[in-house]
Amino acid sequence: MSYLDKLKSRFDNVELHEHHLDDYQHTAVDFLKKNPRSALFIDTGLGKTAICLKLIRDLVDDDKINKVLIIAPLKVANQTWGDEIAKWSFSAPLSYKLVRAEHITKAVNEYARNEKTRPFNESDLKKISRKVNTRVNKFLRNNPDISELDKNTLIAKTQLAVEKEYRKWLTETARVEAAGIQVRKYERENPTVIHIINHEMIEWLVNAWGANDWIYDCVIYDESDGIKDATTKRWKALNSIKHKTTHFYELTATPAAENYLGLFAQIKLLDGGKRLGRTMTEYKERYFNVNPYNYKITLKEGAADAITAAISDITLVMKQEDYLKDIAPPVIEDVLYDLPEKQRELYNTMSNTGMITVDDSTIVVGQAVSVLQKMMQICAGFVYDSEESINDFGSVVQDQRIHYLHTAKIEALRELMARHPKENFLIAYYHQGSLNLLQKYFPYAVKMDRKGSQKAPWNRGEIKMLLMHPKSGAHGLNLQKGGHIVINYDVYFSYGQFYQFWRRLARRGQENDKVLVYNLLAANTYDVVVKKTCWEGKQNAQNKFFYLIQKVKKALKHG
């Protein structure tokens, strides 16, 4: 196939053109062009992928950028971005590749395997010996009366420990070196404008290229609420290369889903700490009160306005209800069921004592948050039991067992689904115990895999009951064509995941008049309390955050 034929083939799947973009999408593109280090806090269903692809095409045409790295959740990286690139006429000519190609992984693993199995050479043994001597001598200085037998035992154990650590270091070093070789080879053999990777790959890619040889002058981080902690390796990896980029963009619908603390890390990647402070400590001191007794953190008076004012020039907020008037808000309904009498007693006992006995096993929980988790597990029909044991290396490990308690929640789900006999259902589960119960009592149910392979058959209406974890499936998957009913089987603590999950269906292209969201809750339990606190309370806080940013922008525009 000639180069011209290859170029023509890229237009085979084109469905949409520039005139299909809405005015608000052009507004977003213009904002991002004017602010090369900025954040787009855009609601799901407003076409942020198309916005970014139009942005990339314009920047490439204007010789502003040469190489783009898109970092997205796994399922979104594997499917959504590639599908959208092929769909739009302005992005179809742009070449792209998923960085996580099988031959790269295979070569890296092979290289690491060699380092893991090869005998230590003379240089290795000298390094190990120095490390062993240092550790042993330090111990002996503090314990001079140790016997000769104990000393020899200490040396032998230290030798084994250091060899294990050194072997691990060799293997990881080999992986990084091999990755560096392979990504450079991959780039030579497959030169493209756009590379796409999943969130978990960023540290690997930064180490492979190194900050000095970093080739991407434009980075787009899809779902930036995944980098709201500046202490993580992922955040630090991005921070180490941001100065090598000319354009750095963050996208998310839930930047402050849990609280305002997560904004610091996201904004610092854009401005280096100019707006909210150079350190988290500085940020907290400026905007928050910290209770010294229970360490509860609350916003100072006027802090919300101050934070939003500080970042308003590099953030653009777009809410679905402001732009897509034809999409009705979801109908959210709590479906309550009663715990069986025996399990209600277990629930109350765990609440009062932090200890219950199940199947001759005594489950003891020390921390309040763990007690709460156990109580919610009981509501769902099971409880985890962790037992300590010793493995072959003498380390303590936790063996987790699941005790199944009741099927009241399963029966409530069955009754709920019977109300809609002809519909398909998107089910959010959070616990492995819940997944096991769902798969046992609904054998026809299909679980969404890591790659999102079930997206196409679901949208074709071929899956009656799709099981998906809200953490892995909440972002970027367009599932609106397969159904209009979401059921939260489990209650979980993240408003961001709750919001993003039902947005998989409540978006443009949904053919039903309304999306139904059902929450299965055990009556008179913490299921109800957590739902109200984490899903309703956090929604109000984030909506206020968005409102304040928009208010500041309007004041600047008219002032």
Side-chain angles (χ1 to χ4, degrees), residues 107-116 118 124 127 164-182 204 207-208:
V108 170
N109 289 341
E110 182 65 27
Y111 201 81
R113 211 164 18 246
N114 293 337
E115 282 298 307
K116 196 171 184 178
R118 73 165 177 82
D124 297 328
K127 292 176 183 177
K164 185 177 180 181
E165 293 169 10
Y166 187 76
R167 180 69 74 183
K168 182 179 180 180
W169 176 81
L170 280 178
T171 303
E172 291 305 313
T173 302
R175 284 184 180 278
V176 172
E177 292 176 354
I181 294 170
Q182 292 303 317
W204 175 87
N207 289 336

Side-chain angles (χ1 to χ4, degrees), residues 235-492:
W235 188 93
K236 290 177 181 178
L238 285 170
N239 192 52
S240 72
I241 53 85
K242 72 175 189 293
H243 67 285
K244 301 288 285 188
T245 66
T246 57
H247 296 70
F248 198 113
Y249 300 108
E250 296 175 359
L251 316 172
T252 184
T254 52
E258 312 308 324
N259 53 54
Y260 278 72
L261 288 173
L263 287 171
F264 170 77
Q266 296 175 70
I267 299 302
K268 187 176 179 181
L269 277 178
L270 300 175
D271 70 356
K274 177 182 175 182
R275 289 167 178 80
L276 297 183
R278 298 187 61 83
T279 66
M280 176 59 89
T281 299
E282 183 181 342
Y283 178 56
K284 286 181 179 178
E285 290 177 349
R286 187 183 299 177
Y287 298 111
F288 298 88
N289 292 315
V290 181
N291 188 312
Y293 301 103
N294 60 13
Y295 300 105
K296 185 177 181 179
I297 299 175
T298 55
L299 281 166
K300 291 181 178 179
E301 185 177 352
D305 297 84
I307 291 171
T308 51
I311 66 175
S312 63
D313 61 320
I314 58 168
T315 57
L316 179 62
V317 172
M318 289 186 161
K319 295 287 288 177
Q320 188 179 85
E321 55 263 31
D322 295 332
Y323 299 99
L324 301 182
K325 306 291 186 181
D326 56 330
I327 298 181
V331 177
I332 300 177
E333 178 183 334
D334 294 343
V335 177
L336 301 178
Y337 63 94
D338 293 320
L339 279 179
E341 184 177 348
K342 183 178 179 180
Q343 280 68 47
R344 173 66 69 175
E345 291 178 3
L346 278 178
Y347 178 92
N348 291 336
T349 301
M350 175 59 73
S351 175
N352 295 329
T353 67
M355 179 176 67
I356 57 174
T357 300
V358 181
D359 298 334
D360 297 325
S361 295
T362 300
I363 302 173
V364 181
V365 183
Q367 297 181 338
V369 66
S370 299
V371 171
L372 175 58
Q373 289 170 341
K374 294 297 182 191
M375 292 163 66
M376 295 174 70
Q377 290 167 19
I378 293 171
C379 292
F382 68 92
V383 67
Y384 291 129
D385 177 16
S386 297
E387 294 182 347
E388 288 188 350
S389 62
I390 307 297
N391 64 14
D392 293 338
F393 302 99
S395 300
V396 176
V397 295
Q398 296 288 334
D399 297 321
Q400 185 168 268
R401 293 193 299 162
I402 303 177
H403 300 276
Y404 296 99
L405 305 175
H406 65 84
T407 59
K409 196 164 199 171
I410 289 291
E411 294 308 316
L413 175 61
R414 201 185 301 277
E415 291 176 9
L416 173 59
M417 292 169 63
R419 290 163 52 182
H420 306 278
K422 296 182 179 180
E423 303 297 339
N424 300 331
F425 303 93
L426 179 61
I427 312 289
Y429 72 90
Y430 202 80
H431 304 288
Q432 181 64 43
S434 295
L435 176 61
N436 293 348
L437 286 168
L438 288 166
Q439 291 178 322
K440 177 180 179 181
Y441 289 98
F442 301 93
Y444 59 85
V446 177
K447 177 179 174 290
M448 179 72 81
D449 64 20
R450 284 173 54 84
K451 295 182 179 180
S453 307
Q454 290 69 33
K455 172 187 170 182
W458 162 265
N459 279 328
R460 291 195 298 265
E462 298 169 5
I463 298 176
K464 178 73 174 176
M465 188 174 180
L466 183 60
L467 311 178
M468 195 161 69
H469 195 288
K471 186 174 183 180
S472 64
H475 297 296
L477 288 176
N478 299 322
L479 302 176
Q480 65 271 31
K481 295 185 181 299
H484 70 104
I485 299 178
V486 172
I487 301 176
N488 285 297
Y489 185 82
D490 284 325
V491 184
Y492 38 97

